[in-house]
Amino acid sequence: CQLKGWNKSCIMFKEEGMGEVKAPVVSNTLVLFARVREEDPDFHQKIIAVSSELTQPGLALGPQDVEMLCGCINIVFHCAATIRFDAPLKQALQLNVIATMQLLGLARKMQHLEAFIHVSTAYANCNLHHIDEVIYPPPVEPTKLIDSLSWMEDSIVEDITPRLIGDRPNTYTYTKALAEYAVQQEQEHLNIGIIRPSIVGASWQEPFPGWIDNFNGPSGVFIAAGKGLLRTMRANHDAVADLIPVDVVINLTLSAGWYTAVHRPKTAMVYNCTTGGINPFHWGEIEYHVMNTFKTNPLEQAFRRPNANITSNYLVNQYWMLVSHRCPAILYDMYLRLSGQKPTMMRIFNRLHKAIGLLEYFSNQDWEWKSDNMSMLLNQLTVEDRKTFNFDVRQLNWPEYIENYCIGTKKYVLNEEMSDIPVAQKHLRKLRNIRYTFNTLLLIFIWRVFIARSQMAHNIWYFVVRLCFKFLSHFRVSSSLVA
């Protein structure tokens, strides 16, 4: 694992403020690091954990920690951020911008620092259609915004947030754009690289296909669809779903660290880590492969059979949300109340609607990301390094990746065993029979009500019944004669 002299035992830490990200379950963590334990049982001796808090002055680092970091750090991978789309502006500004500026100040004191790699997002400039690998002028000077908001009450900031973020959809993309500018301002003092991943999904190859440990991004949507909760979602069938596997992002990040330290570019290098312009895959195709996978490998105790559909029409989507989401939720909550249990289904659907609502902006339109720097970096690697640090998304087989992704949510997020698939399939057949029975009874009920109100419908009904009776009688007589 030699990246032209670099060893792939680099350790990256993710700091999170406000306790937003929960640690994965122990079994998941053990599975994730099984390979590194096998190849290097003493790897943990190379790791020194440092306590830090992004919301505190100086990142709440102690004097001894600061002295140690300034004396021994060669490279910083900065991927600490809040990824909440709907985070209050003050909170997003603190975690994504102010904390970044504090870390940059610390980095300037590091005596042996060779590269500072900042992980941003491909959607930092989502108000543009075509996005180059450059840092665009910010909507406002970050320091001026910080000073202006520092004295304001939270309620005032909340009121003016829509006007501040302008044509960006949320505080996340807005503050990540400000953070990029803040990082760029240090390019005269630091060797800087900026990674812009799009929608980060499950692993493609490393540590193994389909690894994922959270509900973020498309993972929660896939699980909701597999459980039969999500039946409709507003998205454009033909829009590119710019997913990027997490191991591709990590490999590109490590490679960019090497290139930045060795070649020392005069200006900050930006890498659009995306797939849409290189190996596009569309939302309609994702829908098809997700449904196929969960019908073959169903999730346990599904609420309904997987049958999600996407539409770009707002009214059609609202209709199906009413018919396929809210009405079943109300009926199920009534059943829970009658059986003495606490109703929960409507609350679950409200949370689901909020989650998919935050994704609508990204699932209904296309962007064009230029990726020349990503291609350049790939060409700088040796043949061996391209295999070890593979981020060539041209090799990505989407149907296989989506299948592994869905199975990964089953195994590593929900902790379900693949050996229990026959039981889950039996449960789906039971749900199918219940659905057919309910639809048949509903149709008969509606028809009978219609018959009671219409003489014509009454005559048609009895005509059909007599016709069926005559056919059955004729069939019996014919069978007797043949015998």
Side-chain angles (χ1 to χ4, degrees):
C1 297
Q2 299 298 317
L3 184 55
K4 292 188 176 178
W6 284 50
N7 189 289
K8 200 179 179 180
S9 59
C10 300
I11 303 298
M12 291 188 293
F13 292 96
K14 182 175 182 181
E15 306 170 32
E16 288 289 348
M18 309 303 285
E20 292 172 22
V21 175
K22 296 181 180 179
V25 293
V26 175
S27 60
N28 198 349
T29 307
L30 290 173
V31 170
L32 172 62
F33 294 108
R35 177 178 166 188
V36 72
R37 284 190 179 89
E38 182 179 332
E39 295 181 0
D40 185 2
D42 298 324
F43 80 97
H44 60 279
Q45 296 180 4
K46 301 178 182 180
I47 302 172
I48 300 176
V50 177
S51 176
S52 178
E53 173 55 59
L54 300 187
T55 61
Q56 299 300 316
L59 306 178
L61 291 168
Q64 292 183 341
D65 290 335
V66 171
E67 183 180 356
M68 178 188 66
L69 294 172
C70 292
C72 69
I73 293 297
N74 300 108
I75 181 168
V76 171
F77 294 101
H78 177 229
C79 50
T82 176
I83 56 174
R84 280 183 54 194
F85 284 175
D86 58 348
L89 180 57
K90 267 192 174 182
Q91 181 183 328
L93 197 66
Q94 174 65 52
L95 297 174
N96 292 351
V97 183
I98 298 175
T100 299
M101 295 170 72
Q102 292 192 76
L103 185 58
L104 287 165
L106 178 62
R108 291 185 64 177
K109 300 176 184 177
M110 293 177 180
Q111 303 165 17
H112 307 290
L113 188 68
E114 299 180 62
F116 185 100
I117 306 301
H118 172 73
V119 179
S120 182
T121 172
Y123 298 98
N125 303 286
C126 59
N127 55 318
L128 306 175
H129 176 67
H130 181 87
I131 302 170
D132 291 318
E133 291 175 304
V134 300
I135 299 171
Y136 292 91
V140 64
E141 176 71 33
T143 53
K144 291 182 179 179
L145 180 64
I146 293 168
D147 293 340
S148 299
L149 299 185
S150 62
W151 59 269
M152 292 186 185
E153 297 290 337
D154 291 346
S155 58
I156 298 176
V157 177
E158 184 179 355
D159 290 339
I160 65 174
T161 294
R163 296 197 63 179
L164 286 173
I165 66 177
D167 52 0
R168 284 181 172 83
N170 49 53
T171 57
Y172 171 69
T173 56
Y174 178 73
T175 53
K176 292 299 278 185
L178 297 180
E180 284 191 3
Y181 178 77
V183 172
Q184 184 193 36
Q185 298 311 294
E186 296 294 328
Q187 64 186 0
E188 294 183 3
H189 310 285
L190 304 172
N191 302 318
I192 290 172
I194 295 178
I195 313 298
R196 286 179 181 161
S198 50
I199 305 173
V200 180
S203 63
W204 171 26
Q205 296 173 325
E206 295 181 281
F208 39 80
W211 178 82
I212 188 73
D213 72 338
N214 58 66
F215 291 88
N216 296 335
S219 305
V221 175
F222 290 175
I223 291 172
K227 286 286 189 179
L229 295 170
L230 179 66
R231 310 292 274 191
T232 182
M233 177 179 171
R234 191 159 172 248
N236 185 345
H237 265 268
D238 300 322
V240 173
D242 210 298
L243 296 183
I244 189 78
V246 62
D247 50 331
V248 170
V249 180
I250 297 302
N251 286 336
L252 174 62
T253 301
L254 294 175
S255 301
W258 160 78
Y259 182 85
T260 303
V262 172
H263 294 274
R264 300 178 179 270
K266 293 182 179 180
T267 58
M269 293 284 291
V270 178
Y271 304 88
N272 286 338
C273 186
T274 61
T275 56
I278 304 170
N279 185 4
F281 202 62
H282 303 87
W283 286 106
E285 295 173 290
I286 284 184
E287 174 203 341
Y288 173 79
H289 290 289
V290 168
M291 290 300 98
N292 274 1
T293 301
F294 281 132
K295 287 175 182 176
T296 307
N297 305 279
L299 301 180
E300 296 176 14
Q301 295 300 312
F303 179 63
R304 284 174 296 186
R305 297 179 70 245
N307 189 27
N309 293 286
I310 62 176
T311 175
S312 58
N313 188 289
Y314 174 79
L315 293 178
V316 171
N317 182 59
Q318 289 297 311
Y319 168 78
W320 285 116
M321 284 177 66
L322 174 64
V323 173
S324 297
H325 288 183
R326 290 192 174 90
C327 288
I330 292 171
L331 292 174
Y332 193 75
D333 278 349
M334 288 175 59
Y335 163 74
L336 291 176
R337 285 182 185 277
L338 292 173
S339 59
Q341 302 178 61
K342 184 179 179 180
T344 58
M345 194 55 64
M346 197 63 192
R347 179 171 56 86
I348 291 173
F349 273 105
N350 287 335
R351 292 175 60 186
L352 176 61
H353 292 161
K354 182 179 179 181
I356 60 178
L358 294 172
L359 293 174
E360 281 186 4
Y361 179 89
F362 305 97
S363 60
N364 279 280
Q365 52 186 316
D366 281 311
W367 287 268
E368 295 177 3
W369 285 283
K370 198 172 182 180
S371 54
D372 291 348
N373 288 344
M374 188 175 173
S375 301
M376 176 278 297
L377 183 57
L378 185 64
N379 293 330
Q380 292 288 321
L381 304 183
T382 65
V383 174
E384 181 182 353
D385 286 339
R386 289 185 193 180
K387 294 178 181 178
T388 305
F389 299 87
N390 184 20
F391 56 88
D392 186 1
V393 294
R394 293 173 298 181
Q395 304 171 13
L396 181 61
N397 182 301
W398 282 109
E400 180 183 2
Y401 172 74
I402 296 298
E403 180 180 358
N404 289 332
Y405 194 157
C406 294
I407 294 175
T409 61
K410 176 180 175 68
K411 293 169 64 176
Y412 309 118
V413 179
L414 302 177
N415 295 310
E416 297 181 2
E417 297 292 337
M418 297 298 288
S419 58
D420 293 332
I421 284 180
V423 177
Q425 290 174 333
K426 182 179 180 181
H427 179 68
L428 285 192
R429 289 193 292 271
K430 178 181 176 182
L431 292 176
R432 179 197 60 192
N433 294 337
I434 292 174
R435 179 190 175 193
Y436 287 166
T437 302
F438 176 80
N439 288 344
T440 301
L441 293 175
L442 181 63
L443 182 62
I444 292 173
F445 173 76
I446 294 174
W447 179 245
R448 291 296 296 171
V449 170
F450 186 56
I451 288 174
R453 294 177 176 271
S454 171
Q455 183 62 41
M456 180 180 294
H458 183 274
N459 294 337
I460 293 174
W461 171 257
Y462 280 102
F463 172 76
V464 171
V465 170
R466 284 197 299 270
L467 191 63
C468 291
F469 179 76
K470 288 182 179 180
F471 174 78
L472 290 174
S473 300
H474 175 73
F475 181 77
R476 274 200 212 121
V477 171
S478 301
S479 299
S480 301
L481 292 174
V482 171

